[in-house]
Amino acid sequence: QVHLAESGGGSVQTGGSLTLSCVVTGSSASTVCVAWYRQAAGKEREWVATIRNDDSPAYRNFAKGRFTISHDRTKNIVYLEMNVLKPEDTAMYYCASGADLLCSDFDYWGQGTQVTVSS
């Protein structure tokens, strides 16, 4: 069993920055991959970034160069640092974890943290 708790969301203006945190507790076997997803109002949930247990990251195109995912294993926290934020980044952000080596399937999800970017 894994529990994920996100925090760090808030309201910022265009061009601002936020760092989201995801505290991960539970079985390490189910945290081979930890990912951030987001869902804007009225839209499908979309993948943002993933970090594997070897600390290799992967990003959706819109996140490349602006977002950084990292994992502090001493604290069991996965971060998503977001810079140069745009109104289209407004969404509920969720972290997820799973044991899938391909990082394509996630078994556990947090409750989400809201990010709002105003123009």
Side-chain angles (χ1 to χ4, degrees):
Q1 190 74 14
V2 174
H3 182 257
L4 305 167
E6 305 95 333
S7 63
S11 297
V12 296
Q13 292 188 327
T14 298
S17 299
L18 282 173
T19 297
L20 307 183
S21 300
C22 174
V23 178
V24 182
T25 56
S27 170
S28 60
S30 296
T31 56
V32 170
C33 293
V34 179
W36 285 95
Y37 279 77
R38 70 185 188 184
Q39 187 168 20
K43 295 188 177 181
E44 295 287 318
R45 184 174 62 194
E46 62 181 354
W47 170 66
V48 178
T50 297
I51 189 162
R52 298 174 183 268
N53 57 357
D54 63 357
D55 286 334
S56 60
Y59 300 95
R60 193 77 174 264
N61 280 343
F62 66 75
K64 292 179 181 178
R66 297 192 300 130
F67 295 2
T68 302
I69 189 170
S70 61
H71 192 166
D72 184 337
R73 298 183 186 278
T74 65
K75 299 179 180 178
N76 288 329
I77 300 176
V78 175
Y79 298 100
L80 184 69
E81 179 183 351
M82 305 186 294
N83 298 307
V84 196
L85 284 163
K86 306 173 182 180
E88 51 263 45
D89 294 317
T90 295
M92 185 72 80
Y93 283 71
Y94 300 89
C95 63
S97 74
D100 179 23
L101 292 176
L102 296 178
C103 296
S104 61
D105 188 29
F106 297 92
D107 305 304
Y108 301 96
W109 293 81
Q111 294 299 305
T113 186
Q114 178 68 38
V115 171
T116 302
V117 184
S118 58
S119 57

